[in-house]
Amino acid sequence: MWHSILRENNWHGEIWNRRKNGDIFPMWSDISAVKDADGQLTHYVATCTDISSRKSAEDQINYLAFYDPLTHLPNRRLLLDRLEQAIATCARHQCKGALLYVDLDNFKTLNETLGHFQGDLLLEMAAKRLMTCVRDDDTVARLGGDEFVVMIEHLNFSALDAATQAEAVGHKIHQVLSQSYPIGPFEHHNTSSIGITLFGNEALETTEEPLKRAEMAMYQAKAAGRNLLRFFDAQMQVMVTVRSALERDLREAVRQNQFVLHYQAQVNTCGLTGAEVLVRWQHPKRKMVSPTEFIPLAEETGLILPLGQWVLETACAQLAAWAVQPTLAHLTLAVNVSAKQFYQEDFVTQVQATLVRTGANPQRLKLELTESLLVTDVESIIIKMSALKSYGLSFSLDDFGTGYSSLSYLKRLPLDQLKIDQGFVKNILTDSNDAAIARMVVALAESLGLAVIAEGVETKAHQEFLAHIGCHAYQGYLFSRPLALEDFEKFAQQY
Ligand code: C2E
Ligand code: MG
Ligand code: MG
């Protein structure tokens, strides 16, 4: 201001001022320097105008341009603006977002029979309910009439995961919107049709495209009978439906205990040392389901906790049963433990209680952890592992080489064994990189004072190569496939 007055004899602009009563208000000021005939500065003249009312009118205009006055939600324009940013964010951070196009099924009839005032009340309630279904940084917009769009951001990069997350929000919306609306003396009911699409697949997508897809999906939901949720992509719809059916079945499976353990031999140069237990699901309507299909889902849904406990319990009971059979008493069992299981606060006591309950010898129990476990608080992992080791059991690091273990962490973990991932073993004879990694794991194990075992050993040539680089413990089809208990016991007695 002074700079301008001294050079140009004038300044004008907005300033924040304070009234005598302490209120802050925006003021327009125009200040001019006044000089006498000799050009000497004599005084300044300032005119001031209180512009608070103009400011609030401007704010109002701005608000009206970007928000819906009835529900106070962002309007189409602001939604498109945010969508544009969200698409850019997805490209930058490798994530996905979803648009859920929500249309109330019976609003028009209600509006006509109830009158517009009551109709407005219903829309306001619907808007408030929609807000409860999303996080603060997600957007709920009203496009007009009874059409709303919910934009959720920061979803998983995997399309199936993102779709599952979006579907969960869709179900929640369905549920909150179908609760009764108390308006006047009556309770009104309404359902909604929801169309879902993901965005963030293509970086160059325009903002109109996802919105159009979501709208088309919403019309499909209407056409299919209303009160439904539809994905734009039919294939996505199928995948999400299959997955929710699987989740439902899995809950039932845990309740009814439809699982069995298979035992896969682990051997070394002296003979059979034990087995890894691998869980199988005996689905009532399908053949045996592989754990690669249901373990990830069990982890996501938390079902891994009761399932994992059952696996541990069954394996320990088996160890106790073998302890009295001279030909089997020396065998160890390796049990896979998911990160989620291990993170439970009372995991150590659970394991200890299981050992006591079953009477298993802890020396015969080995827990297999994966590198994915190590992404969080390593200190507390070390504390838990040490506590468990003090009971006598041991630890193996499964699928080693596929994760991102920091070598300095590795040094501090109280591990007993590294398990070379089958991915490296598979091409060990033909791929020099895989062979180099296997060599590295063996050398690393040696220098850290750990044992090493290779999994996925399918041929004599694999075994010979591994022996040549210093790995003398194996698991794989060459020796035995995972077997049902009876078959494994027969195998063990003959081996
Ligand atoms: P994993 O712990 O790395 O188990 C090894 C997998 O490799 C098993 O697959 C096994 O059948 C397979 N395999 C063994 N030898 C060979 C071979 O020579 N060639 C080939 N191609 N494959 C071989 P499976 O039984 O399908 O289990 C897959 C994964 O599921 C396991 O990988 C483990 O991560 C998980 N899993 C299995 N049972 C449990 C469990 O009780 N709890 C938890 N948390 N995860 C489990
Ligand atoms: Mg394993
Ligand atoms: Mg493995």
Side-chain angles (χ1 to χ4, degrees):
M1 183 180 89
W2 282 114
H3 189 71
S4 167
I5 293 173
L6 292 174
R7 275 195 16 200
E8 289 150 34
N9 296 324
N10 181 266
W11 178 82
H12 56 253
E14 287 176 15
I15 54 177
W16 289 105
N17 210 339
R18 192 195 301 272
R19 294 188 218 283
K20 278 199 174 140
N21 71 359
D23 289 352
I24 305 278
F25 71 103
M27 185 177 85
W28 178 265
S29 273
D30 197 322
I31 304 174
S32 301
V34 179
K35 292 178 180 170
D36 63 14
D38 300 333
Q40 284 299 316
L41 179 70
T42 58
H43 45 278
Y44 299 101
V45 175
T47 55
C48 302
T49 319
D50 182 341
I51 54 169
S52 1
S53 53
R54 195 185 88 207
K55 278 275 175 207
S56 78
E58 268 173 28
D59 287 348
Q60 182 73 11
I61 290 168
N62 244 326
Y63 189 82
L64 289 175
F66 291 109
Y67 288 87
D68 165 42
L70 175 68
T71 59
H72 306 291
L73 293 177
N75 63 15
R76 183 188 191 96
R77 213 165 130 192
L78 185 52
L79 171 71
L80 288 177
D81 205 56
R82 291 197 186 161
L83 180 56
E84 192 176 341
Q85 287 175 30
I87 291 174
T89 310
C90 284
R92 227 178 9 250
H93 297 297
Q94 293 273 304
C95 58
K96 284 203 168 52
L99 284 187
L100 290 86
Y101 204 109
V102 182
D103 186 282
L104 304 181
D105 286 333
N106 323 312
F107 181 73
K108 287 195 179 62
T109 348
L110 272 175
N111 203 28
E112 276 151 26
T113 49
L114 286 171
H116 290 224
F117 177 71
Q118 315 270 33
D120 282 357
L121 283 179
L122 192 140
L123 289 175
E124 284 176 77
M125 283 187 214
K128 285 212 182 80
R129 292 180 187 184
L130 283 171
M131 296 287 295
T132 64
C133 299
V134 297
R135 292 178 298 206
D136 283 347
D137 48 353
D138 296 329
T139 298
V140 178
R142 180 178 174 221
L143 300 195
D146 58 348
E147 293 183 353
F148 298 87
V149 170
V150 174
M151 176 172 84
I152 38 185
E153 294 182 64
H154 310 295
L155 298 179
N156 233 325
F157 185 64
S158 134
L160 180 56
D161 289 346
T164 307
Q165 292 166 310
E167 197 210 20
V169 176
H171 278 307
K172 205 161 148 200
I173 291 176
H174 242 294
Q175 196 243 324
V176 298
L177 291 184
S178 65
Q179 280 159 15
S180 72
Y181 296 81
I183 296 174
F186 303 109
E187 300 268 319
H188 296 281
H189 292 273
N190 210 331
T191 54
S192 55
S193 296
I194 303 176
I196 308 180
T197 192
L198 298 180
F199 59 84
N201 300 324
E202 292 128 56
L204 296 173
E205 202 166 42
T206 69
T207 51
E208 293 287 347
E209 281 162 22
L211 194 59
K212 211 172 280 159
R213 289 201 302 266
E215 186 179 10
M216 281 167 68
M218 183 275 289
Y219 281 118
Q220 285 167 24
K222 287 256 186 238
R226 302 178 158 211
N227 193 16
L228 288 171
L229 204 143
R230 276 284 176 274
F231 275 86
F232 171 76
D233 184 346
Q235 212 183 329
M236 186 74 69
Q237 180 77 39
V238 171
M239 279 161 69
V240 169
T241 312
V242 166
R243 178 139 145 178
S244 23
L246 189 64
E247 184 181 334
R248 201 187 46 229
D249 289 359
L250 191 58
R251 275 183 202 288
E252 193 56 28
V254 169
R255 225 180 349 255
Q256 301 196 2
N257 191 14
Q258 299 169 348
F259 300 96
V260 285
L261 290 187
H262 278 188
Y263 298 76
Q264 186 176 32
Q266 295 189 332
V267 304
N268 65 15
T269 27
C270 307
L272 182 68
T273 55
E276 176 178 9
V277 296
L278 295 157
V279 68
R280 300 287 181 264
W281 176 10
Q282 289 173 305
H283 193 288
K285 288 191 277 296
R286 295 167 61 182
K287 56 178 184 6
M288 219 57 115
V289 187
S290 146
T292 49
E293 231 183 293
F294 66 85
I295 291 286
L297 186 62
E299 286 174 341
E300 241 169 77
T301 51
L303 288 166
I304 193 69
L305 301 182
L307 176 58
Q309 177 54 34
W310 176 83
V311 172
L312 182 69
E313 186 101 31
T314 312
C316 286
Q318 198 53 59
L319 283 174
W322 284 346
V324 293
Q325 301 181 48
T327 51
L328 302 169
H330 66 289
L331 299 177
T332 60
L333 282 180
V335 174
N336 293 286
V337 174
S338 287
K340 212 167 184 168
Q341 242 177 306
F342 192 86
Y343 289 148
Q344 293 172 96
E345 216 150 292
D346 59 346
F347 183 69
V348 174
T349 24
Q350 273 183 39
V351 175
Q352 194 215 7
T354 310
L355 285 166
V356 171
R357 206 163 37 237
T358 54
N361 176 359
Q363 308 279 349
R364 301 273 175 271
L365 180 65
K366 183 158 69 179
L367 299 183
E368 288 195 6
L369 307 178
T370 57
E371 287 172 275
S372 63
L373 183 80
L374 303 176
V375 294
T376 63
D377 188 9
V378 175
E379 290 311 322
S380 64
I381 293 169
I382 294 174
I383 292 173
K384 276 187 183 168
M385 286 176 72
S386 308
L388 285 165
K389 279 192 67 132
S390 71
Y391 301 130
L393 52 78
S394 57
F395 285 100
S396 181
L397 195 56
D398 202 357
D399 305 340
F400 187 68
T402 58
Y404 305 93
S405 299
S406 137
L407 295 183
S408 57
Y409 283 166
L410 203 61
K411 198 176 76 186
R412 298 176 42 217
L413 291 176
L415 284 167
D416 301 276
Q417 186 182 57
L418 297 181
K419 201 168 188 186
I420 305 174
D421 185 64
Q422 54 181 290
F424 303 117
V425 175
K426 191 171 175 201
N427 302 316
I428 205 165
L429 300 166
T430 49
D431 186 323
S432 58
N433 291 326
D434 288 350
I437 291 173
R439 265 201 193 89
M440 187 277 290
V441 178
V442 175
L444 191 65
E446 199 168 300
S447 70
L448 294 174
L450 305 177
V452 62
I453 184 170
E455 66 181 343
V457 181
E458 293 187 354
T459 63
K460 197 79 196 138
H462 283 157
Q463 185 198 353
E464 278 161 9
F465 188 94
L466 285 159
H468 173 69
I469 63 171
C471 173
H472 305 289
Y474 320 98
Q475 179 184 340
Y477 296 168
L478 172 63
F479 309 96
S480 165
R481 297 204 166 234
L483 300 172
L485 177 64
E486 245 173 73
D487 297 333
F488 176 76
E489 286 180 340
K490 259 184 233 142
F491 171 87
Q493 268 141 354
Q494 289 162 9
Y495 194 82

